[in-house]
Amino acid sequence: MNYIFIFLILISFICAIINGTMAEVVDAILKSSQKAVEIALSLIGIMAFWLGMVNIAKKSGLMDFFSNIIKKPLLKIFPDLKENNEAISNIALNISANALGLMNAATPFGIKAMENMQEKNQNKEHATNSMCTFLAINTAGFQIVPAVVIAILSANGMENPSQIIIPTLIVTTIAFISALFFSKILERMFK
Amino acid sequence: MINFLNSLSVYILPFIIAIILIHALYKKTPAYEEFTIGAKEGFNIAIKIIPYLIAIMVCTAVLRASGAIEMAQNLLSPILNFFKIPIETTIIMLTRSLSGSATLGVLADIINQTGVNSYATKLAAVITGSSETTFYVASVYFGAIGIKKFRHALLAGILADIVGLIAAVWVCSVFFL
């Protein structure tokens, strides 16, 4: 991560010198740091709401019930979460919310799942295998209906925007499976 | 079909909320108190991810502003022509993993440039719908719990993005060309 950070910024400066776009780059630094804070703050409301709901489900025992149903298949993907029921059910909720295109609901479940995994983590700054697998499948962005994209296409007057659903589903499934595959292969190389 | 799925997705969240509340009522869980206890965490998480989010978003914004993406686009154009990939869609391929809001902007651009029923638009739409902003997701999820060593997580995500792009080009050429 350190190298990616340094490399991306330095390469941008070099390109900015070549292209004469240094003024835009300086402007981008100011604007994007502002934007980052705005995004984080705008998450507070929906995050608090879902974490509140999750806490009710946790205390009433609904989470345990849900995790027992979903546990078996998920444990194949996340073998080190055998003793971590809460993480399993939050992962399941995150994946289902993502699949349904409910991004706002998916993020709090995902963060909660990460926290559950972090509780059992020995080295708090070092990601575990399950964390990496979970992150990789989240970045693959599996979803059944790409609602936002379809909204944009139909707003611009495409005759039949639902024609992209099947191709998108095929592609996102391939990306999801390869994210799983790569994280399993690579976890042995990165200790 | 699409209308059915859209209206279905409107009912999913209320359905989940209702199930949670009815179960709490049945188990006599103090729902209001537990809700407020859980909701408190929302603030901490949002504050905790700010530094990570700034680092990632400044990186990607600077990269885009510097014109590096356009330079890469020029380098790649011979390869793209060979695979019949419209030149307009290169930007979306290069920015998809970096920035979500930029991707939607680029998609709108492509629609403006090539028309909403063009092959470029369809390919760009499939790419946008089938992937997620890898760098953003990584900074939010790992930032929230303070992970600093990402190990292979980003690499696996980016490799999967690349496989996804290749798949998108292939699937779209089968469906739409």
Side-chain angles (χ1 to χ4, degrees):
Chain A
M1 203 54 215
N2 289 324
Y3 293 114
I4 297 174
F5 184 63
I6 296 168
F7 174 78
L8 282 181
I9 292 188
L10 291 185
I11 202 98
S12 307
F13 284 172
I14 293 166
C15 291
I17 294 170
I18 297 170
N19 293 326
T21 51
M22 201 49 106
E24 284 91 335
V25 168
V26 174
D27 191 46
I29 296 178
L30 297 173
K31 286 218 178 97
S32 58
S33 20
Q34 174 100 28
K35 186 93 206 265
V37 177
E38 281 166 19
I39 288 181
L41 293 182
S42 71
L43 280 175
I44 292 180
I46 191 71
M47 193 95 87
F49 176 78
W50 280 109
L51 291 179
M53 280 294 154
V54 168
N55 201 45
I56 300 176
K58 198 169 99 186
K59 288 289 153 63
S60 71
L62 189 63
M63 276 308 237
D64 292 330
F65 178 73
F66 184 61
S67 71
N68 281 333
I69 298 174
I70 205 91
K71 212 172 165 177
K72 274 221 170 109
L74 275 182
L75 276 181
K76 292 224 161 65
I77 302 176
F78 303 99
D80 42 343
L81 298 181
K82 207 166 255 168
E83 307 295 321
N84 204 335
N85 274 339
E86 238 182 276
I88 287 285
S89 37
N90 278 316
I91 287 174
L93 286 169
N94 168 271
I95 294 175
S96 357
N98 266 329
L100 298 167
L102 309 169
M103 276 265 287
N104 284 334
T107 309
F109 293 138
I111 288 175
K112 201 75 203 150
M114 282 291 184
E115 283 186 343
N116 299 144
M117 290 187 252
Q118 180 74 319
E119 282 161 23
K120 302 276 160 75
N121 188 5
Q122 305 291 328
N123 184 346
K124 297 290 180 203
E125 294 191 348
H126 205 88
T128 64
N129 284 346
S130 286
M131 287 177 185
C132 292
T133 307
F134 181 56
L135 190 82
I137 61 179
N138 252 285
T139 62
F142 180 76
Q143 58 175 303
I144 296 170
V145 180
V148 180
V149 174
I150 289 174
I152 293 175
L153 291 177
S154 63
N156 280 284
M158 186 184 266
E159 296 134 22
N160 178 19
S162 47
Q163 61 183 315
I164 71 152
I165 292 181
I166 300 292
T168 305
L169 193 59
I170 297 171
V171 174
T172 192
T173 308
I174 293 172
F176 182 84
I177 293 168
S178 47
L180 258 184
F181 172 78
F182 285 124
S183 71
K184 291 289 174 200
I185 298 275
L186 291 171
E187 70 184 25
R188 290 177 207 143
M189 299 176 205
F190 290 75
K191 290 291 169 194
Chain B
M1 179 66 178
I2 183 71
N3 279 335
F4 170 73
L5 286 170
N6 276 339
S7 51
L8 188 70
S9 65
V10 172
Y11 283 95
I12 289 162
L13 291 184
F15 177 74
I16 297 172
I17 295 169
I19 293 280
I20 291 174
L21 294 179
I22 291 167
H23 190 260
L25 194 66
Y26 170 68
K27 291 280 179 183
K28 297 194 173 59
T29 310
Y32 177 71
E33 287 159 39
E34 295 301 344
F35 177 85
T36 51
I37 291 170
K40 260 182 217 158
E41 288 175 53
F43 293 88
N44 300 333
I45 291 173
I47 304 298
K48 246 194 282 182
I49 61 174
I50 289 179
Y52 299 87
L53 215 46
I54 292 178
I56 297 281
M57 288 187 64
V58 168
C59 273
T60 57
V62 163
L63 195 65
R64 272 164 29 82
S66 71
I69 305 280
E70 284 79 7
M71 290 169 89
Q73 192 177 6
N74 290 335
L75 283 176
L76 289 171
S77 59
I79 307 170
L80 299 170
N81 285 335
F82 181 77
F83 287 105
K84 294 190 186 124
I85 302 168
I87 188 83
E88 294 87 359
T89 57
T90 354
I91 298 188
I92 216 159
M93 294 182 175
L94 293 169
T95 53
R96 184 66 192 111
S97 308
L98 297 174
S99 161
S101 50
T103 305
L104 293 181
V106 174
L107 178 61
D109 259 4
I110 292 174
I111 294 172
N112 274 333
Q113 277 179 40
T114 65
V116 75
N117 293 310
S118 70
Y119 179 61
T121 296
K122 288 170 190 167
L123 177 58
V126 169
I127 291 171
T128 309
S130 64
S131 57
E132 194 31 85
T133 320
T134 300
F135 281 80
Y136 171 79
V137 173
S139 62
V140 168
Y141 281 11
F142 279 172
I145 55 171
I147 291 287
K148 296 198 174 68
K149 294 273 176 262
F150 285 27
R151 290 176 64 214
H152 57 286
L154 265 187
L155 183 59
I158 291 169
L159 287 175
D161 286 346
I162 293 170
V163 173
L165 283 178
I166 296 168
V169 169
W170 173 65
V171 170
C172 282
S173 72
V174 172
F175 270 78
F176 301 127
L177 265 188

